[in-house]
Amino acid sequence: AWQDKDGDWIETGLHIFFGAYPNMMNLFKELSIEDRLQWKIHQMIFAMQELPGEFTTFDFIPGIPAPFNFGLAILSNQKMLTFWEKLQTAPPLLPMLLEGQPFIDQQDELSVTDFMRKYGMPERINEEVFVAMAKALDFIDPDKLSMTVVLTAMNRFLNEDNGLQMAFLDGNQPERLCAPMQEHIEARGGRVRLNSPVKEIVTAEDGSVRHLLLRNGETIVADEYVSAMPVDIMKRFVPKAWSTMPYFRQMDELEGIPVINLHMWFDKKLISVDHLCFSRSPLLSVYADMSTTCKEYRSDDRSMLELVFAPCSPIAGGKVNWVAKSDEEIIAATMGELARLFPTEIAVDGSKAKLLKYAVVRTPRSVYAAIPGRNKFRPSQRTPIPNFTLAGDWTSQKFLGSMEGAVLAGKLAAEVVCERVAGVPYSAEVKEIQASVVAKASTASPK
């Protein structure tokens, strides 16, 4: 996140914290900043496309344990699905609860749409629920998203009483979350260096890391090196000496998904809810009125909507490559969607709430694209290089490409380093590399 010329904060994404994020919650507790999480009422809110300006909710009743609170929340909603459709949805999901992770992992070869049709789920489930879930989880349409992602999320949410309860950070991320991390590290003798881009990972004769070469010519020498770079960036930094190793060739099967985040400031206060909203729009994923949901951005006079524009490219299931469009075209399309969803407050011609300013943030490669069949290519944190470890939410861990996945991957990477330094056997199993990757690696040329 950064500030514009007016001092307003611009973020790369609309970041939401869930009760089913135990590692992230432990991080807040360790930093003693738990009070910076603004927890919202335990419910999910959906815009009603067929009833513009209206919302419907899944309400989780306090005191009812999981997974019964989730089931009751769905059964008590009368606007999205019929009772018969709800009954048809339950049986295909039972193996997720009974068999757990093995069943979930087996569904990675199927898209959400394929899974639905295989198990006879009603098509309206896709329109009413899965479109919103898929775009919120991976900025992608359900016909492109691996069912393992949806089942993993549902399994976590269903097994924790407050799993789906959501919280917003009470202000901007650099000051309210990142700064405490930096202070924690520096208080223990560490150092955080910003604006120090790496040019190259330089290797020794035995293939280990000799040092990092920075763009300014400086070298960084360490005992252990850990990379948390996104997969698309890491691919570019793989040294020539490692480029034919099957472990690193797995990355060829992974790539980040494009996403666009929007900030829109209006001249008046819109009717809004103090929560995250699922738009169920063809162009928009989730959104929130940050002037209502976030303490630092609060305003009683004007609204600032933050919206996720997805899918925004063909790889994510979109028909238009919105990433290549101009800011003006993206905002015009968004205003059209908002006018359709909220006709009493927003008009395309600006005759109602007036748009004062906006910010369009494109991320050409964000979280890894969780399309069917990719999970098996996510590498373990332990690498074949004796002093180099991988982290990042795209590495192998049980959570999704998310903040929680990033924190967990970091902890797993730290575990690898600690066990190596201590000289004790590694506790984590080595993840098998697919035969197809090994075969490609055997004929690959160093690059």
Side-chain angles (χ1 to χ4, degrees), residues 264-271 301-303 305 335 338-339 342-356:
M264 302 176 71
W265 286 264
F266 290 90
D267 69 340
K268 62 177 64 177
K269 187 72 172 181
L270 305 174
I271 299 173
D301 303 315
R302 295 177 176 179
S303 284
L305 299 186
M335 285 294 289
L338 291 176
F342 311 110
T344 61
E345 297 184 273
I346 296 175
V348 175
D349 61 6
S351 59
K352 296 178 181 177
K354 290 181 171 53
L355 184 64
L356 299 177

Side-chain angles (χ1 to χ4, degrees), residues 320-345:
V320 178
N321 182 14
W322 286 102
V323 175
K325 297 288 186 180
S326 68
D327 290 0
E328 292 74 18
E329 289 173 306
I330 293 169
I331 291 298
T334 302
M335 285 294 289
E337 283 298 294
L338 291 176
R340 185 177 63 81
L341 290 170
F342 311 110
T344 61
E345 297 184 273

Side-chain angles (χ1 to χ4, degrees), residues 59-61 64 67-77 86:
D59 297 301
F60 296 81
I61 301 174
I64 298 179
F68 304 107
N69 60 349
F70 189 86
L72 185 59
I74 293 176
L75 287 173
S76 60
N77 180 286
K86 294 169 186 176

Side-chain angles (χ1 to χ4, degrees), residues 5 36 38 68 82 109 119 206 214 216 241 254 261 280 302 344 356 389 395-397 405:
K5 60 182 177 61
R36 298 185 183 185
Q38 293 183 252
F68 304 107
T82 66
E109 301 299 324
Y119 289 96
D206 63 355
L214 304 188
N216 64 7
L254 303 171
N261 199 55
R280 300 201 297 158
R302 295 177 176 179
T344 61
L356 299 177
T389 308
T395 59
S396 186
Q397 40 82 20

Side-chain angles (χ1 to χ4, degrees), residues 96-129:
M96 171 189 69
L97 295 173
L98 301 176
E99 301 176 34
Q101 202 62 43
F103 173 80
I104 293 172
D105 291 340
Q106 290 167 12
Q107 311 313 308
D108 190 51
E109 301 299 324
L110 297 176
S111 71
V112 176
T113 307
D114 291 338
F115 180 91
M116 285 179 51
R117 290 169 181 165
K118 178 180 178 179
Y119 289 96
M121 298 174 76
E123 286 293 329
R124 250 174 45 88
I125 299 294
N126 189 53
E127 301 166 9
E128 297 292 326
V129 179

